[in-house]
Amino acid sequence: MSHPGDTPVRRPSKGERTRTRILESASALFSRSGFHAVSLRDIAAHAGLTHAGLLHHFPGKEALLLELLGHRDRADAQGLFPTALDADAPEPSPEQWLSRLLDVVARNSTTPGLVALYANLSAEAADPEHPAHDYFVHRYRVVREGTARALGALFAAADPPVTDDPDAVAVQLIALMDGLQTQWLLEPDAVDMPAQLRALLRRYGVDPDPAARVSA
Amino acid sequence: MSHPGDTPVRRPSKGERTRTRILESASALFSRSGFHAVSLRDIAAHAGLTHAGLLHHFPGKEALLLELLGHRDRADAQGLFPTALDADAPEPSPEQWLSRLLDVVARNSTTPGLVALYANLSAEAADPEHPAHDYFVHRYRVVREGTARALGALFAAADPPVTDDPDAVAVQLIALMDGLQTQWLLEPDAVDMPAQLRALLRRYGVDPDPAARVSA
DNA sequence: CGCGAAACCTACCACTTGGTTAATTCTTCA
DNA sequence: TGAAGAATTAACCAAGTGGTAGGTTTCGCG
């Protein structure tokens, strides 16, 4: 059935498997309590090994965190954020960009853990000494630029062109995504994140929902 | 010059002074790195005493945090958020409520430390086990309700009445405040918080700036 | 199978954590 | 001034931290 060399989907080695198990555990625990509050022993235990065993796969706690962040971005890049963090790949259309943003939010609504991780870290990372500081500065910059570009195109193409500054609205949109998460994490029932985002976009004369775009 | 009993401004006792010194230090350090990442020894050293000395004034780390939060709210209550967190005191007018929100934001723009404190804590506090969890749930609820009330009144009174759901817009407004802070902390120059908030309000047909309200 | 390498564990290190105790110094006010 | 009480300390504790050293098991492949 499976000819060797035919399908390059060989079973990952044991090391690779535990490595991803560790990353999953780290994600889960960092999400619950933040970076500083979680110990390597916690993560290791959750992944089913000793903390010394964990340190065989990652040089240290900090490296584990950064690996996790990159890993997550790469997952997002598959179909969600190609250009944002992966470099190259063709620039998506403005509509695509926005609907991808909404996709990320919608998917986030199902994974409070990951959302909490980013909320926690982006707050901690305001300290320039924090290991993830540069990562977040860069990340926001990239997402902001892409969103501003998309908004600028849509604003110009709108029937009565929208005069708002795309950069400012981009900041606003991303801020809304983050702020909604804070409230949603504290009281999930009090906030409908995707609906709120769509509401804001509609206020700016932009409707990213393809289902609702009939006469465009 | 100062008759005893005339002015009730007696010099605070040594205990009271160090107590506030401790609170100030705790605020500064929690702001930089969050609750879990700061030790009582750090705070005590910053305040100029031993951690044992600190524990003479506060029963524990957790109590210190809650005291800090309450302290902060009481300071905000003087002229900014009377009803929100202080109970009683007459409900301010809708315009007042919004302009107070803007005042808080404007003042926050000058104190990154405090902003970072709340950003950090509200993220950490998503964990129901966190000592400040209940505090933040309650806080958001109160601010949300007040803002929704104010927006509802303004929407109804607008020339062509605004049809948006005040509750939803309240969530949005507060989310924007929080989210802007995240980006502002990472890159202060990239975000003008008060301007952004005013922009959103204007989009909803509300202008909270008294200087700009001529024909109302 | 057999053997080298990767994976993993036990035991340890130096250090930090929040908190306690008991003794000592400093304030305060009658 | 003097004594009660508040303020503060040094010393200590048990528990936990990230990280290391060195040995043992397990994997994977020729």
Side-chain angles (χ1 to χ4, degrees):
Chain A
M1 275 299 157
S2 71
H3 306 253
D6 197 317
T7 45
V9 283
R10 71 177 199 290
R11 181 164 188 246
S13 73
K14 180 155 199 252
E16 292 171 298
R17 270 179 285 143
T18 52
R19 239 186 94 93
T20 67
R21 244 172 46 230
I22 291 172
L23 283 173
E24 284 166 4
S25 297
S27 172
L29 296 186
F30 283 155
S31 301
R32 262 201 275 288
S33 324
F35 176 67
H36 288 297
V38 172
S39 73
L40 290 182
R41 282 169 173 87
D42 294 338
I43 300 169
H46 189 277
L49 35 57
T50 334
H51 89 289
L54 187 157
L55 285 168
H56 171 73
H57 295 274
F58 299 91
K61 198 186 182 186
E62 189 165 314
L64 174 56
L65 171 65
L66 294 177
E67 186 93 4
L68 217 180
L69 293 175
H71 194 260
R72 199 63 228 167
D73 279 345
R74 253 170 278 126
D76 272 350
Q78 297 179 3
L80 291 178
F81 269 115
T83 53
L85 308 149
D86 213 5
D88 45 75
E91 179 93 353
S93 78
E95 290 88 355
Q96 274 178 337
W97 182 277
L98 289 189
S99 75
R100 273 169 187 167
L101 270 186
L102 286 185
D103 285 348
V104 171
V105 172
R107 204 194 49 177
N108 281 355
S109 309
T110 68
T111 60
L114 268 180
V115 174
L117 178 99
Y118 273 87
N120 258 309
L121 285 181
S122 59
E124 286 184 359
D127 183 346
E129 304 292 318
H130 195 283
H133 177 80
D134 292 341
Y135 168 86
F136 275 100
V137 170
H138 176 255
R139 184 175 202 268
Y140 274 103
R141 216 173 268 168
V142 169
V143 174
R144 217 152 48 203
E145 279 167 14
T147 306
R149 244 195 314 276
L151 286 176
L154 290 176
F155 283 179
D159 198 336
V162 182
T163 59
D164 295 79
D165 177 16
D167 293 292
V169 181
V171 169
Q172 218 171 96
L173 190 62
I174 295 163
L176 190 60
M177 293 178 58
D178 290 343
L180 288 174
Q181 289 177 356
T182 305
Q183 290 180 68
W184 177 73
L185 286 171
L186 284 169
E187 258 186 304
D189 294 332
V191 180
D192 181 346
M193 295 200 287
Q196 290 276 7
L197 278 177
R198 266 193 293 268
L200 180 80
L201 285 174
R202 237 179 282 117
R203 264 285 144 186
Y204 281 101
V206 175
D207 193 334
D209 194 351
R213 316 191 98 242
V214 186
S215 61
Chain B
M1 275 300 155
S2 74
H3 306 253
D6 198 319
T7 45
V9 282
R10 70 176 201 290
R11 179 160 189 252
S13 72
K14 180 155 200 248
E16 292 171 297
R17 269 179 286 143
T18 52
R19 237 186 95 93
T20 68
R21 243 172 47 230
I22 291 172
L23 283 173
E24 284 166 4
S25 298
S27 172
L29 296 186
F30 282 155
S31 301
R32 261 200 276 287
S33 324
F35 177 67
H36 287 300
V38 172
S39 73
L40 291 182
R41 281 170 174 86
D42 294 337
I43 300 169
H46 189 276
L49 35 54
T50 333
H51 87 291
L54 187 156
L55 285 168
H56 172 73
H57 295 273
F58 299 91
K61 198 187 182 187
E62 189 165 316
L64 174 58
L65 170 65
L66 295 177
E67 186 94 4
L68 217 183
L69 293 175
H71 194 261
R72 199 62 229 169
D73 280 344
R74 253 170 276 126
D76 272 348
Q78 297 177 4
L80 291 178
F81 270 115
T83 53
L85 308 149
D86 214 5
D88 44 75
E91 179 92 353
S93 78
E95 289 87 356
Q96 275 177 336
W97 181 277
L98 289 190
S99 76
R100 272 170 187 168
L101 269 187
L102 286 186
D103 285 348
V104 170
V105 172
R107 203 193 47 175
N108 281 355
S109 309
T110 68
T111 60
L114 269 180
V115 174
L117 178 108
Y118 273 89
N120 258 309
L121 286 182
S122 59
E124 284 185 358
D127 183 347
E129 305 291 319
H130 196 284
H133 178 79
D134 292 342
Y135 168 86
F136 274 100
V137 170
H138 175 254
R139 184 173 201 270
Y140 274 103
R141 216 173 268 170
V142 168
V143 174
R144 216 151 49 201
E145 280 168 14
T147 306
R149 246 196 311 279
L151 286 175
L154 291 176
F155 283 178
D159 199 335
V162 181
T163 59
D164 294 79
D165 177 16
D167 293 292
V169 181
V171 169
Q172 219 170 96
L173 190 62
I174 296 163
L176 189 60
M177 293 176 59
D178 290 342
L180 287 175
Q181 289 176 357
T182 305
Q183 290 178 68
W184 177 73
L185 286 171
L186 284 168
E187 256 186 304
D189 295 332
V191 180
D192 181 347
M193 295 200 288
Q196 289 277 6
L197 278 178
R198 266 193 294 270
L200 181 80
L201 284 174
R202 237 179 284 116
R203 265 283 146 186
Y204 280 101
V206 176
D207 194 335
D209 194 351
R213 314 189 100 242
V214 185
S215 62

